[in-house]
């Protein structure tokens, strides 16, 4: 059993079964043994691949999105550019390189901030951003980032925030709790009583996931934007409407595994409930746009033109690679996912949601569509 498995086992033995969100939080974020704390999980040899790791075009377009959004909020003379959960730092490196075409924006950057809890990933991010000569800062949490106008970027950050899971029984919604067997393996059970606060009508057996941590995070982010000015772009896989059904999945070596099988050794994520994030953000007075699909978002930002420009300076072989990357990021066709089931391509599965300060016009990619 892994050291984290032992820790969770003794917690359960002394305090009783753990709600799933607490298990997920420990599995990902335990200070010593959490999944993200001890490794670089990305790439072909890691457990999963993200959009900025697929193509430089992703980070470049998000960088240009930030520069244009800065212009639309009136070019504040001092701005923080913050990335939440920056992984290997690839997105930010590509973004800053692309923004060389916007020198006034670059001059306004008081600090580029990386909100990252993992020491291993911080080191990789530092190396990736070694060429950037402006001020760079690392922070453990959003609260620590100094106030002032800020543009936030979050790709595949919200899917790593823990969710609670409930199952509909005759009497109401019972929470899924994690227990431990004598041999140290973990199993799911149900809370003895239904949760009195949940009233959603649904047939017996239905699953409801509640991403309270994501909702709370979106509320804090939007409150900062409403109070201090700025904007945020959130890209992740998830659904536009709050729905029933289980979406938690665990990945190891690009394969789906049991989320309880080996805490700390596999990535655990849940689909993001964009409707819940939008509600949280709206309530603060900030303006909310989307969610729209990643395909619409990247196409409207000009990914096809960017791919053509890159291909003009590329070898034929590199040209084929660029076309493949473009398709991978924007395809909406069904494909076979890690669990073996068919899933929509990244262009449809992933969504983009924007938050912007009150009274600002729509950010790039979210303009009201012409008829
Ligand atoms: N955005 C990157 C990485 C996504 S993986 C990409 O697109 O490639 C999730 C990232 O969020 C990792 O860097 C992980 O260490 C970080 N992370 C997860 N939970 C976090 C939390 N609560 N606070 C700060 N960072 C967190």
């Amino acid at each position: 059993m892994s050291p984290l498995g032992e820790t969770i086992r003794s917690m359960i033995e002394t305090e009783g079964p753990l709600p799933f969100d607490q298990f997920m939080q420990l599995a990902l974020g335990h200070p010593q043994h959490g999944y993200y704390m001890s490794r670089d999980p990305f790439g072909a040899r890691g457990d999963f691949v993200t959009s900025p790791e697929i193509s430089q075009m992703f980070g470049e377009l998000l960088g240009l999105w930030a520069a244009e959004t800065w212009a639309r909020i009136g070019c504040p003379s001092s701005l923080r550019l913050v990335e939440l959960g920056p992984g290997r730092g690839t997105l930010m490196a590509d973004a800053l390189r692309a923004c060389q075409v916007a020198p006034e924006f670059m001059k306004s950057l008081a600090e580029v901030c990386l909100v990252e809890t993992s020491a291993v990933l911080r080191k990789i991010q530092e190396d990736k951003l070694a060429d950037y000569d402006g001020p760079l800062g690392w922070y453990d949490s959003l609260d620590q980032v100094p106030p002032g106008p800020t543009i936030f970027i979050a790709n595949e950050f919200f899917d790593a925030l823990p969710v609670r899971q409930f199952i509909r029984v005759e009497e109401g919604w019972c929470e899924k709790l994690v227990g431990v067997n004598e041999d140290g393996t973990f199993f799911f059970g149900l809370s003895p009583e239904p949760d009195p606060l949940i009233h959603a009508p649904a047939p017996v057996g239905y699953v409801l996931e509640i991403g309270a941590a994501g909702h709370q995070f979106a509320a804090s982010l939007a409150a900062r934007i409403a109070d201090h000015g700025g904007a945020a772009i959130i890209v992740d896989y998830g659904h536009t409407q709050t729905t029933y059904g289980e979406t938690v999945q665990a990945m190891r070596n690009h394969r789906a595994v049991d989320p309880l099988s080996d805490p700390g050794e596999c990535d655990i994520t849940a689909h993001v409930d964009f409707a819940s994030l939008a509600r949280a953000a709206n309530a603060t007075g900030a303006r909310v746009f989307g969610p729209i699909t990643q395909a619409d978002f990247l196409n409207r930002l000009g990914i096809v033109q960017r791919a053509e420009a890159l291909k003009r300076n590329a070898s034929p072989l590199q040209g084929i690679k660029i076309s493949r990357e473009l398709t991978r990021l924007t395809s909406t066709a069904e494909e076979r996912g890690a669990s073996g089931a068919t899933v929509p391509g990244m262009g449809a599965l992933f969504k983009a949601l924007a938050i912007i300060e009150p009274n600002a016009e729509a950010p790039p990619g979210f303009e009201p569509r012409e008829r």
Side-chain angles (χ1 to χ4, degrees), residues 36 42 50 52 83 85-87 115-118 121 155-157 160-161:
Y36 284 114
F42 304 96
T50 58
E83 186 176 357
V115 176
E116 175 61 72
T117 39
S118 156
L121 291 175
N155 183 59
E156 291 213 35
F157 172 74
L161 300 181

Side-chain angles (χ1 to χ4, degrees), residues 87-146:
R88 277 184 179 165
T90 309
L91 189 162
M92 188 55 86
D94 292 337
L96 293 171
R97 193 185 57 252
C99 286
Q100 299 302 331
V101 301
E104 294 303 317
F105 169 71
M106 292 300 278
K107 243 187 270 165
S108 81
L109 292 181
E111 188 179 26
V112 170
C113 310
L114 301 136
V115 176
E116 175 61 72
T117 39
S118 156
V120 176
L121 291 175
R122 278 185 184 207
K123 178 75 186 75
I124 296 173
Q125 293 155 16
E126 257 176 59
D127 293 345
K128 194 53 90 44
L129 294 166
D131 288 343
Y132 179 65
D133 52 13
L136 270 175
W138 274 264
Y139 298 90
D140 279 327
S141 68
L142 179 63
D143 301 343
Q144 293 174 0
V145 176

Side-chain angles (χ1 to χ4, degrees), residues 155-227:
N155 183 59
E156 291 213 35
F157 172 74
F158 280 84
D159 65 28
L161 300 181
V163 296
R164 296 172 71 186
Q165 287 190 318
F166 297 84
I167 294 190
R168 180 77 207 195
V169 298
E170 286 294 344
E171 301 76 30
W173 291 94
C174 286
E175 182 154 16
K176 277 172 86 172
L177 307 176
V178 181
V180 64
N181 291 310
E182 294 222 329
D183 66 0
T185 53
F186 297 104
F187 65 91
F188 274 122
L190 282 186
S191 63
E193 297 292 330
D195 190 309
L197 298 176
I198 305 178
H199 300 289
V204 168
Y206 268 46
V207 174
L208 179 65
E209 287 177 352
I210 298 189
H215 189 86
Q216 185 50 49
F217 203 102
S220 311
L221 196 65
R224 284 183 67 120
I225 291 169
D227 293 347

Side-chain angles (χ1 to χ4, degrees), residues 23 61 76 104 149 155 161 227 231 239 242 287 308 327 332 350 362:
F23 181 91
L61 289 173
E104 294 303 317
N155 183 59
L161 300 181
D227 293 347
H239 32 263
T242 305
R287 297 192 75 192
E308 289 307 318
T327 306
T332 56
F350 280 68

Side-chain angles (χ1 to χ4, degrees), residues 5-347:
E6 288 294 352
T7 306
I8 297 178
R9 173 193 194 156
S10 64
M11 281 176 77
I12 295 175
E13 282 168 354
T14 52
E15 290 161 40
L18 272 184
F20 178 70
D21 63 331
Q22 290 180 31
F23 181 91
M24 181 169 170
Q25 173 62 39
L26 287 164
L28 296 180
H30 182 276
Q32 280 97 49
H33 307 298
Y35 175 76
Y36 284 114
M37 298 305 163
S38 49
R39 77 196 70 225
D40 169 10
F42 304 96
R45 270 176 295 143
D47 293 320
F48 56 91
V49 184
T50 58
S51 297
E53 303 297 334
I54 290 171
S55 167
Q56 68 183 78
M57 295 186 284
F58 189 81
E60 290 171 348
L61 289 173
L62 285 179
L64 297 174
W65 182 91
E68 174 59 23
T69 298
W70 170 76
R72 293 188 190 183
I73 58 172
C75 307
S77 59
S78 171
L79 179 82
R80 281 199 160 71
L81 180 62
V82 177
E83 186 176 357
L84 305 169
R88 277 184 179 165
T90 309
L91 189 162
M92 188 55 86
D94 292 337
L96 293 171
R97 193 185 57 252
C99 286
Q100 299 302 331
V101 301
E104 294 303 317
F105 169 71
M106 292 300 278
K107 243 187 270 165
S108 81
L109 292 181
E111 188 179 26
V112 170
C113 310
L114 301 136
V115 176
E116 175 61 72
T117 39
S118 156
V120 176
L121 291 175
R122 278 185 184 207
K123 178 75 186 75
I124 296 173
Q125 293 155 16
E126 257 176 59
D127 293 345
K128 194 53 90 44
L129 294 166
D131 288 343
Y132 179 65
D133 52 13
L136 270 175
W138 274 264
Y139 298 90
D140 279 327
S141 68
L142 179 63
D143 301 343
Q144 293 174 0
V145 176
T150 306
I151 293 184
F152 297 93
I153 298 177
N155 183 59
E156 291 213 35
F157 172 74
F158 280 84
D159 65 28
L161 300 181
V163 296
R164 296 172 71 186
Q165 287 190 318
F166 297 84
I167 294 190
R168 180 77 207 195
V169 298
E170 286 294 344
E171 301 76 30
W173 291 94
C174 286
E175 182 154 16
K176 277 172 86 172
L177 307 176
V178 181
V180 64
N181 291 310
E182 294 222 329
D183 66 0
T185 53
F186 297 104
F187 65 91
F188 274 122
L190 282 186
S191 63
E193 297 292 330
D195 190 309
L197 298 176
I198 305 178
H199 300 289
V204 168
Y206 268 46
V207 174
L208 179 65
E209 287 177 352
I210 298 189
H215 189 86
Q216 185 50 49
F217 203 102
S220 311
L221 196 65
R224 284 183 67 120
I225 291 169
D227 293 347
H228 298 277
I233 181 75
I234 297 170
V235 183
D236 224 308
Y237 56 108
H239 32 263
T240 45
Q241 297 296 330
T242 305
T243 50
Y244 296 112
E246 159 138 22
T247 72
V248 166
Q249 67 168 5
M251 297 286 285
R252 192 169 186 178
N253 298 323
H254 299 265
R255 291 234 169 81
V257 295
D258 174 0
L260 302 186
S261 61
D262 222 346
E265 300 302 316
C266 53
D267 186 35
I268 307 178
T269 57
H271 280 211
V272 173
D273 179 353
F274 278 97
S276 153
L277 302 193
R279 275 196 304 276
N282 248 322
T284 66
R287 297 192 75 192
V288 179
F289 292 88
I292 58 176
T293 63
Q294 173 161 301
D296 280 347
F297 181 57
L298 296 179
N299 283 328
R300 291 181 201 165
L301 294 183
I303 194 168
V304 174
Q305 294 79 351
R306 179 66 190 135
E308 289 307 318
L310 285 175
K311 279 198 252 178
R312 277 196 288 279
N313 298 317
S315 68
L317 204 61
Q318 282 169 327
I320 293 170
K321 189 169 164 278
I322 294 164
S323 298
R324 275 214 200 108
E325 294 168 357
L326 171 67
T327 306
R328 183 129 181 239
L329 292 181
T330 58
S331 170
T332 56
E334 298 262 315
E335 48 195 59
R336 199 162 289 283
S339 64
T342 48
V343 290
M346 288 182 91

